[in-house]
Amino acid sequence: MADRRSFPPFGPLRAFDAFGRTRGIRRAAEWLQIDHAVVSRHLRALEKWAGVPLLDRAGGGLTEAGRIYHDRIANALDEIARATEALRAGDLPQLSVWCVPGFAFHWLVRRLGNFRTEFPDIDLLLRPTDARARFWSDGVDADIRYQLDGRPHEPQPGIRQAELARPPVFPVASPDFLRRAGPIRTVGDLLSQPLLAEEDSHEWQTWLARQGVAAPSMIPAARLWHAHLVLASAREGQGVALANPFLLEDDLRNGTLVRVGSPEAPFDGVAIGAYTLLIPENSWERPALVRLRSWLIHVAGAFQPGAGAHAARAS
């Protein structure tokens, strides 16, 4: 008996799936690692085969028929990918997780042993990097970023996010630096001190504004790019750094860095951003990612009281 099921050609189907996920021909080509002209040709071929317009070329997305069709075939292709992954990996799901380096180095890596103990059936690969994941081309399952308030974050189409924690941020310095610097009685006094920053002074400007201090549009600050370099510079007595408890666990306990202000009343910590977990929407309910997401929310909430209330919000 002949197979009467109707299957589209697989190349055009994958191109359509990539376009539906990324909302762009060039982004789909980047994800599939083929030329964008090939993607365009595949999309036209699928529409001709189906006899139905699938792309809304005026609006830049999918037609209603295209959206309905994509919702169904995307789930089917995801299941094929998961089945293939299980077949090749002996049923051990693998997660590729990118993470902002400071959070990975100072807080996350020392807790991964507990994650592996709790979930021995998940093979987690952690990559600390400043680069935001391009999920469709980098093969990344999840990405952890620190998203600073007031800075535009262009959401990638098809990406959901969960807030893990909004930690308080406060200035710290080495005890030796504070002895040499003399009294720093008010937040405004910080503007006369050497300030340490990552790639720019936006974090300092945001924090000072939340403290009610007017600051120049460009604050003179040593730019060191990475959070761990900023903290290393602060430990060496080179200036004042802004940081949060996720980055300062050892330093505050050991006294290598202390909070700036009077010993009785250091300057208040203010939340100016959030650690955020980003996951493609089509993988949001993948069991291994559900476990990772729940574990991160729980552990971050336990580390920072009150963080869990923020972390529960997802979009």
Side-chain angles (χ1 to χ4, degrees), residues 14-24 27-28 31 62 70 73-79 136 156-159 280-283:
R14 284 198 69 204
F16 174 68
D17 176 53
F19 178 86
R21 295 177 194 266
T22 65
R23 301 295 195 270
R27 288 192 291 270
W31 184 25
L62 298 174
H70 182 265
I73 64 102
N75 291 331
L77 290 174
D78 287 341
E79 181 56 31
W136 316 126
Q156 296 183 55
I159 302 301
E281 186 171 15
N282 65 293
S283 299

Side-chain angles (χ1 to χ4, degrees), residues 5-218:
R5 294 176 297 177
S6 182
F7 294 105
F10 194 64
L13 189 68
R14 284 198 69 204
F16 174 68
D17 176 53
F19 178 86
R21 295 177 194 266
T22 65
R23 301 295 195 270
I25 288 177
R26 291 188 180 275
R27 288 192 291 270
E30 185 179 10
W31 184 25
L32 296 173
Q33 297 184 331
I34 60 178
D35 189 84
H36 71 276
V38 177
V39 172
S40 295
R41 187 162 62 247
H42 278 329
L43 293 173
R44 290 194 299 271
L46 184 64
E47 287 184 311
K48 182 177 180 180
W49 178 87
V52 176
L54 301 173
L55 273 63
D56 178 3
R57 289 172 172 80
L62 298 174
T63 63
E64 181 64 15
R67 185 189 61 77
I68 294 171
Y69 186 55
H70 182 265
D71 287 346
R72 299 185 68 178
I73 64 102
N75 291 331
L77 290 174
D78 287 341
E79 181 56 31
I80 291 173
R82 285 191 291 269
T84 304
E85 178 184 300
L87 176 67
R88 298 179 66 185
D91 289 326
L92 183 65
Q94 186 178 89
L95 292 182
S96 174
V97 179
W98 286 16
C99 183
V100 63
F103 187 79
F105 180 77
H106 292 284
W107 187 82
L108 181 57
V109 70
R110 65 185 57 188
R111 290 165 172 81
L112 285 183
N114 292 335
F115 177 83
R116 294 189 176 98
T117 298
E118 189 171 347
F119 304 107
D121 58 332
I122 297 176
D123 181 16
L124 190 148
L125 306 176
L126 177 66
R127 177 182 171 182
T129 175
D130 282 319
R132 286 178 171 265
R134 297 172 299 175
F135 292 94
W136 316 126
S137 60
D138 293 326
V140 180
D141 296 300
D143 190 17
I144 301 171
R145 295 291 115 190
Y146 182 73
Q147 300 194 146
L148 191 62
D149 295 346
R151 175 162 286 177
H153 306 286
E154 182 180 350
Q156 296 183 55
I159 302 301
R160 292 184 66 176
Q161 62 184 39
E163 189 175 288
L164 302 178
R166 288 184 60 81
V169 174
F170 42 81
V172 293
S174 71
D176 180 64
F177 173 85
L178 292 177
R179 281 191 293 269
R180 290 185 283 109
I184 303 176
R185 296 187 176 90
T186 69
V187 171
D189 291 340
L190 290 169
L191 292 173
S192 63
Q193 300 295 330
L195 304 180
L196 307 173
E198 293 183 41
E199 65 265 30
D200 58 36
S201 58
H202 186 76
E203 188 173 15
W204 272 109
Q205 290 170 328
T206 303
W207 186 84
L208 288 165
R210 297 282 174 87
Q211 298 284 5
V213 173
S217 58
M218 284 296 293

Side-chain angles (χ1 to χ4, degrees), residues 263-280:
E264 300 78 19
F267 298 143
D268 290 338
V270 180
I272 59 174
Y275 288 109
T276 305
L277 178 67
L278 307 170
I279 296 175

